[in-house]
Amino acid sequence: ESLDQYFEKAYYSHEIGFRKPNKEAFEFVLTQHGLKPEETLFIDDASVNISAGQALGLQTLYLQPPLKLEEALAAYVKP
């Protein structure tokens, strides 16, 4: 299943030249879209990346099994 249906744009490390958990990877995406960290939800399944996102002020969701992306997003989407 593709994640493209959930997001406007996907960023891949090999394309942008930055890798998580390095702060440059997060800052690149935030800058590209003019996002404020405190208003941005970062979802990941690696605790090291979640910690890096939190250090930059992002809202985070640690996606651990059995939680699925659809369930995680439903908790944040307002009707």
Side-chain angles (χ1 to χ4, degrees):
E1 178 177 326
S2 172
L3 298 179
D4 292 343
Q5 66 182 329
Y6 300 107
F7 304 102
E8 291 179 21
K9 172 131 178 75
Y11 289 91
Y12 300 98
S13 297
H14 68 279
E15 292 176 355
I16 67 171
F18 303 111
R19 294 187 60 81
K20 298 176 296 187
N22 296 325
K23 70 177 185 174
E24 292 84 4
F26 296 95
E27 291 171 343
F28 179 86
V29 175
L30 292 169
T31 301
Q32 287 293 304
H33 294 280
L35 300 172
K36 296 178 183 176
E38 65 276 8
E39 296 176 357
T40 304
L41 175 63
F42 172 66
I43 303 170
D44 204 285
D45 61 355
S47 62
V48 66
N49 294 337
I50 291 294
S51 296
Q54 289 171 338
L56 292 169
L58 293 164
Q59 295 184 48
T60 60
L61 177 63
Y62 185 21
L63 191 63
Q64 300 177 59
L67 183 63
K68 297 184 190 250
L69 181 60
E70 297 85 0
E71 298 165 340
L73 292 175
Y76 283 89
V77 173
K78 305 287 187 235

